[in-house]
Amino acid sequence: MTPEELRAARDHLVPDVAAGGLRVLFCGINPGLMSAATGHHFARPGNRFWPVLHRSGFTPRQLRPDEEQELLEYGLGITNVVARASARADEIDAEEFREGGRLLVAKVRRLRPRWLAVVGVTAYRTAFDERKARIGPQDRTIGDTRVWALPNPSGLNAHWTTETMAEEFGRLREAAEG
């Protein structure tokens, strides 16, 4: 994609992949410009979401972003804390995260997944005013929905490897199956 096409993508929304009663609703921080341009979640080639989802056992094969609707067959879905696309998550301010958190709570109350998995602990901390949250299951629930904070699969997150992320996603998978 050209730089002009990516800049124009900021105005596009990436539709949720969601349905009522999912096992896990994954929640990204916000769409990147590549996701906005393609209309698919975690579309940037360096993003590790799709490989990690497969390696952790959530999917029988590695899906491509344009196959995201297949997640529904596995009881999985994707949404975002903030709908607005940006080049980097640090372009989203705290108030936008808090408003996104309020909207996300309403969505979760409506869809009632077993687990909400926020992909990015920093986004979770800001959206839900949980400054000391760590990766893993949270004390917070939204109705009957449990909450899990996962590492951000962006290629910019050098603190987690694909393998260590897959282990954490696998812990969530085991909890969601139980």
Side-chain angles (χ1 to χ4, degrees):
M1 304 197 90
T2 67
E4 294 78 27
E5 289 171 320
L6 286 174
R7 280 192 291 281
R10 291 180 193 269
D11 298 329
H12 297 130
L13 296 179
V14 178
D16 288 346
V17 176
L22 296 170
R23 282 189 307 139
V24 179
L25 178 61
F26 290 95
C27 182
I29 297 169
N30 75 305
L33 297 182
M34 183 69 73
S35 290
T38 64
H40 300 294
H41 295 271
F42 300 104
R44 188 171 185 81
N47 193 292
R48 297 171 287 181
F49 178 80
W50 299 106
V52 166
L53 200 65
H54 170 61
R55 288 183 186 189
S56 65
F58 273 111
T59 59
R61 66 179 180 84
Q62 185 175 319
L63 300 177
R64 296 184 316 265
D66 64 332
E67 297 175 311
E68 63 191 6
Q69 291 296 323
E70 290 183 34
L71 290 175
L72 297 173
E73 298 171 23
Y74 307 117
L76 308 173
I78 307 177
T79 188
N80 286 293
V81 176
V82 174
R84 178 175 71 84
S86 67
R88 296 175 50 102
D90 61 10
E91 295 175 24
I92 307 296
D93 67 30
E95 183 50 42
E96 207 169 353
F97 273 121
R98 285 190 290 274
E99 177 60 19
R102 288 188 285 274
L103 295 171
L104 181 58
V105 165
K107 186 179 299 186
V108 168
R109 288 188 192 284
R110 187 177 73 253
L111 296 175
R112 301 179 59 179
R114 272 189 251 160
W115 286 91
L116 170 67
V118 180
V119 182
V121 70
T122 303
Y124 174 80
R125 288 174 183 146
T126 306
F128 293 100
D129 198 30
E130 298 272 348
R131 290 182 179 88
K132 297 190 188 230
R134 295 179 119 51
I135 297 293
Q138 306 300 306
D139 292 334
R140 170 186 296 275
T141 59
I142 302 170
D144 292 333
T145 299
R146 303 267 330 263
V147 179
W148 197 293
L150 289 168
N152 183 344
S154 166
L156 299 175
N157 181 359
H159 299 290
W160 289 77
T161 67
T162 299
E163 289 308 315
T164 57
M165 272 190 260
E167 290 170 12
E168 187 61 31
F169 275 59
R171 288 182 57 220
L172 168 61
R173 182 188 49 77
E174 290 171 6
E177 290 174 351

